[in-house]
Amino acid sequence: MSTGVSTGQLYTVAEVAAMMRVSKMTVYRLVQSGTIHSIRFGRSYRVPQSAVRNYLDATNPGSDFSI
């Protein structure tokens, strides 16, 4: 089954929170609201690298983030 999403690397919520220097709860809120695309595996979420990059690019235009 294909979701049509090129994932590249998948990050845990904790890894995304550490990269963005926010709490895990903030990342969970972004995932639940659909602001950041995620993939659910059982009871946990994985966030594609591309989704993190897209979110950071959308919230901070003109900035160059390396993930």
Side-chain angles (χ1 to χ4, degrees):
M1 181 172 111
S2 175
T3 61
V5 176
S6 175
T7 57
Q9 183 168 349
L10 296 174
Y11 297 113
T12 65
V13 168
E15 290 172 328
V16 174
M19 281 189 281
M20 294 173 56
R21 293 193 171 125
V22 297
S23 71
K24 290 191 296 184
M25 186 54 67
T26 299
V27 177
Y28 278 117
R29 285 186 191 119
L30 293 169
V31 166
Q32 291 296 321
S33 69
T35 305
I36 289 184
H37 176 74
S38 65
I39 301 167
R40 188 162 182 176
F41 290 102
R43 291 177 33 182
S44 64
Y45 291 94
R46 296 295 184 265
V47 181
Q49 179 180 12
S50 60
V52 176
R53 179 174 301 280
N54 291 341
Y55 175 76
L56 293 174
D57 288 345
T59 57
N60 297 302
S63 297
D64 183 31
F65 296 100
S66 65
I67 299 176

